[in-house]
Amino acid sequence: METPTERPPGPPRGASAQQAATVALTALAPASWGTTYAVTTELLPPGHPLFAGLMRALPAGLIGLALIRVLPRGEWWWKAAVLGVLNIAAFFPLLFLAAERLPGGVAATLGAAQPLLVAGLALAVLDERPTAWRWAWGVLGVLGVGLVVLGPHARLDALGVLAGLGGTAAMAGGVVLTKRWGRPAGVRPLTLASWQLTAGGLLLLPPALAIDGVPQRIDAAAAGGYLWLGSMGGLIAYTLWFRGIGRLPLGASAPLVLLSPLVATLAGIGLGESLNLTQSAGFVLALAALLAAQFSSPMPRGRVAHGGRAGDQVREERVR
């Protein structure tokens, strides 16, 4: 009697398809964030990064609260405030400041370092050890984005660079803490996004009015820019992002932020820029790194990586 052939261990096909769908939906968030640079420079009044962050956060958060009608409870009051600072109140104005003072692609490249920061913070905070496979592709992804947007004519403003790196670090901390704390029982990603956008917007309100003030003129184009950033780049994007962080391992979700500089580059092409051969190679490398990070290392299961512990990779696969 023939014995049935055993299938190699691995996730069921249905689970793989479900994860692919989750990755695709989560990717919409950083893809929409990649439009921030073009919207900021082409549509918004210059010199108002705090006000731009306020307009992106507070209206969207209040609309979300009106829809869900759920407020935080217990410890989630301060947790939502901390996440609101990292993901919104600190990240938004630094992002807009970098977008104003640097070319869009250069500013976006600084954000491409986020997967590496997330990996380091995850090791310290979550005791989650990234595989060498994902470390390597994370570095190659940053290199690819750098080839696309950093050239001999790149205009590097010191304050803009510091703002971009500061925003990237704040967002990386928010991603790791979101993964650590998860969500309260019965709370949807829309609720978590609304809490954070509202908390971050309220924290931005005093400095935005005191330092930036309201722009003297907000025309139809600027209104449309604020609407896009608050809806697709705000409430919708963060809902999808928090949903994805909750369902995907950090090693799979963090590299998706590479889409932001890639979309920023495509937006620049739409505005008349072009890519040379080196930039085109960098674009392909960054895209390959993003895709490769979604797959497991080809190392057979159970093999002990040099300097690592047996079962690290198996444990990561189980998280998936």
Side-chain angles (χ1 to χ4, degrees), residues 75-250:
E75 64 181 6
W76 270 97
W77 280 104
W78 68 263
K79 286 184 177 181
V82 170
L83 293 176
V85 169
L86 293 173
N87 289 325
I88 310 299
F91 175 62
F92 280 5
L94 291 173
L95 174 68
F96 284 113
L97 181 60
E100 287 186 359
R101 302 185 71 92
L102 296 170
V106 176
T109 302
L110 300 174
Q114 184 177 311
L116 301 180
L117 291 176
V118 167
L121 289 172
L123 181 60
V125 177
L126 305 177
D127 195 25
E128 181 174 313
R129 186 185 299 271
T131 62
W133 170 267
R134 284 187 168 138
W135 269 114
W137 283 112
V139 172
L140 289 175
V142 175
L143 175 61
V145 173
L147 290 174
V148 173
V149 298
L150 293 179
H153 303 294
R155 178 171 51 88
L156 297 180
D157 175 84
L159 182 58
V161 170
L162 289 176
L165 291 175
T168 299
M171 185 69 171
V175 168
V176 173
L177 286 181
T178 299
K179 187 69 175 180
R180 178 180 177 87
W181 291 337
R183 299 195 308 269
V187 169
R188 298 175 296 172
L190 174 61
T191 303
L192 187 61
S194 301
W195 289 351
Q196 294 187 41
L197 286 166
T198 302
L202 289 174
L203 290 171
L204 281 173
L205 184 60
L209 296 180
I211 299 174
D212 277 5
V214 179
Q216 293 183 353
R217 183 171 180 268
I218 299 178
D219 56 18
Y226 289 132
L227 179 60
W228 167 260
L229 293 174
S231 57
M232 188 61 223
L235 187 60
I236 297 174
Y238 275 92
T239 299
L240 295 175
W241 184 243
F242 294 139
R243 175 183 179 272
I245 290 177
R247 299 188 179 191
L248 297 171
L250 283 178

Side-chain angles (χ1 to χ4, degrees), residues 59-78:
L62 293 176
I63 290 173
L65 286 181
L67 292 174
I68 60 175
R69 299 182 181 181
V70 176
L71 293 176
R73 294 183 179 179
E75 64 181 6
W76 270 97
W77 280 104
W78 68 263

